[in-house]
Amino acid sequence: MAVPTPHGVPDHLAAPQFPPELAKVLRADLAAVADEVEEEVRRQVPEYARPADGAYLQNLRSGVVQALTLFVDHIADPRDDGGAIAATYYELGRGEALEGRSLDALQSALRVGGLCAWRRMGRTAEELGLDSAVVAALGELAFRTVHEVAQAAASGYAEAQLRSSDELERRRKRLLDLLLEDGPVALEAVQDLAHSARWPVPRTVSVVALAAAPDRREEDRPLAAAGALVDMGSRPPRMLVPEPEGSGGTGGRAFTLALRGRPAAIGPAVAVTEAAQSLRLATRALGLMGRGVLPRQGVVRCSEHLSTLLLHGDEPLLERLRARVLAPLDTVSAGQRDRLAETLLAWLLSGSNVPDVAVRLHIHPQTVRYRLRQLEKLFGDALHDPETRLDLILALRAESLHARRS
């Protein structure tokens, strides 16, 4: 295994040849050194102060022995790259990440153990009467050995974290696809997948449909709310927000700022198994924003525009309703049609109260009465039929929305 060398550590030690008997003496003493190192690590690193029969301590003992073996092997044969032992520490680091633990404890154990081992082996070197140049070379080799195993552990840890992060992202993507698929969604299936994706299942959710960015710059990516499931690759991009009515949901200014000015439509809050309904309305609202029926910029909340969304739920049917119900207005000029349609809608919505219509439209009551007489001639008794009045309100509302975006 290739292990990068830190600044200040040479690739090849410019040290004198070690005496042939040194490796033999240190290897014979290896078990006793391992006992001393293990005891010191357990004393100084709380994470390793566990019952002696624990798997954690078995890994500790194995790691200590292999690191000491690597050190002695380097003395016996400087050409040995210690690949097998580096691979062991790679797996140790990987295991720490997979268990959800920090790498700090393992790195601390390496530092403490390395210092302890050097003190013990340094004493042995002095007892053998080795000169200062050889002792210095041993110290340099000890430092290099600790660095090699530490780097191997860090590499294993980083690789496992990356894979774990990628896998978590894949699971969350599958969870989002499950929640937003058409048809019934079983709560048990959601709970199982959410558990593997480390996503707490909320009581309610909202789906946010986002306008496509003009380019794919990272700074245009919205900042997801806490716990949100995001799919920027879908069309339109979407974000599922848990507990949207809570403090961290879609109702606050912080959420609007997190969108970075990107136009968005927020679907209504629904039960988690009904998220597809929220997506459908959010997508419809986003489409109406693009056409100018709803505000083109900012954030549109579907819960505030339910009647508009209902009207545009079946646009061909809505067009048929408009054409049939408003046919009498086709007999007048375009300018007159607009004025009469506006007056008729205001009159129907105000409970046939002429003064209220005048205030609403900023015109004189006499002008309202004049227009109503014209409408009476065009529509006749239909103006007083309850069912026809409902149809007229729907058709005129659609007409006003159409006029607003023209």
Side-chain angles (χ1 to χ4, degrees):
M1 178 180 297
V3 180
T5 303
H7 180 70
V9 178
D11 289 330
H12 301 285
L13 295 175
Q17 291 291 322
F18 296 113
E21 70 274 12
L22 179 58
K24 184 177 180 180
V25 171
L26 292 177
R27 202 181 301 279
D29 203 27
L30 194 145
V33 176
D35 289 341
E36 189 173 323
V37 169
E38 181 181 345
E39 182 180 350
E40 187 68 9
V41 168
R42 291 189 63 191
R43 187 180 69 82
Q44 292 198 39
V45 184
E47 288 82 355
Y48 289 92
R50 300 186 180 189
D53 59 347
Y56 214 37
L57 289 185
Q58 292 177 14
N59 291 335
L60 169 62
R61 178 69 182 191
S62 174
V64 168
V65 170
Q66 294 207 44
L68 293 173
T69 300
L70 175 62
F71 177 69
V72 175
D73 286 347
H74 276 325
I75 295 173
D77 182 4
R79 295 169 298 177
D80 183 1
D81 65 0
I85 294 175
T88 297
Y89 272 84
Y90 183 90
E91 288 302 317
L92 280 174
R94 191 169 173 275
E96 294 295 281
L98 294 177
E99 290 296 324
R101 291 190 291 261
S102 166
L103 187 61
D104 293 345
L106 181 57
Q107 298 284 32
S108 295
L110 289 173
R111 289 192 296 270
V112 170
L115 181 59
C116 178
W118 168 241
R119 285 198 299 262
R120 173 66 183 261
M121 290 184 169
R123 289 197 300 270
T124 301
E126 290 177 358
E127 291 169 359
L128 292 174
L130 301 179
D131 62 38
S132 59
V134 174
V135 173
L138 280 174
E140 189 173 5
L141 179 60
F143 172 69
R144 182 183 180 87
T145 302
V146 171
H147 165 69
E148 286 181 0
V149 296
Q151 283 293 98
S155 296
Y157 189 89
E159 191 247 359
Q161 270 200 323
L162 177 62
R163 291 193 177 183
S164 176
S165 175
D166 289 345
E167 178 60 24
L168 190 64
E169 194 67 27
R170 284 192 291 271
R171 291 178 183 179
R172 291 194 170 190
K173 175 62 167 60
R174 290 200 299 271
L175 174 60
L176 182 60
D177 290 342
L178 172 65
L179 290 171
L180 299 183
E181 70 181 14
D182 290 329
V185 178
L187 181 59
E188 293 79 7
V190 172
Q191 290 172 332
D192 288 345
L193 190 49
H195 177 73
S196 69
R198 301 179 191 174
W199 190 73
V201 178
R203 185 179 60 85
T204 59
V205 297
S206 278
V207 178
V208 183
L210 302 157
D215 53 46
R216 299 186 66 82
R217 294 178 303 167
E218 183 63 25
E219 56 265 29
D220 286 333
R221 179 185 176 93
L223 300 173
L229 302 177
V230 181
D231 183 3
M232 298 303 295
S234 63
R235 290 294 176 267
R238 57 204 186 184
M239 178 191 306
L240 185 144
V241 182
E243 305 297 354
E245 296 173 349
S247 58
T250 62
R253 176 174 171 79
F255 179 81
T256 302
L257 292 175
L259 294 176
R260 301 179 186 269
R262 195 165 181 167
I266 302 175
V270 296
V272 67
T273 55
E274 299 172 356
Q277 296 180 19
S278 186
L279 172 64
R280 279 194 292 272
L281 289 179
T283 303
R284 185 183 303 171
L286 190 66
L288 295 176
M289 291 172 67
R291 292 161 51 191
V293 176
L294 292 175
R296 293 182 182 274
Q297 300 299 320
V299 176
V300 167
R301 303 180 189 280
C302 290
S303 58
E304 299 173 2
H305 301 276
L306 294 178
S307 61
T308 301
L309 293 169
L310 178 62
L311 277 175
H312 290 81
D314 188 335
E315 300 218 27
L317 183 60
L318 177 61
E319 188 57 39
R320 286 179 179 273
L321 178 67
R322 284 176 55 194
R324 181 182 65 80
V325 176
L326 302 182
L329 292 176
D330 294 339
T331 61
V332 300
S333 65
Q336 189 177 13
R337 177 194 173 100
D338 291 343
R339 291 191 294 272
L340 291 177
E342 180 185 50
T343 301
L344 179 55
L345 180 59
W347 181 71
L348 292 168
L349 294 178
S350 64
S352 307
N353 187 297
V354 171
D356 284 354
V357 174
V359 172
R360 183 190 292 252
L361 300 183
H362 307 289
I363 58 178
H364 196 279
Q366 192 59 34
T367 303
V368 176
R369 295 187 182 92
Y370 170 74
R371 293 180 184 177
L372 288 175
R373 286 194 293 270
Q374 291 180 292
L375 290 167
E376 287 279 1
K377 291 178 182 179
L378 293 172
F379 288 92
D381 294 338
L383 289 181
H384 305 286
D385 177 66
E387 291 188 7
T388 302
R389 287 166 71 98
L390 176 59
D391 288 347
L392 282 168
I393 290 173
L394 295 174
L396 290 166
R397 173 64 176 159
E399 182 106 333
S400 68
L401 290 172
H402 177 78
R404 183 186 303 169
R405 74 172 192 261
S406 299

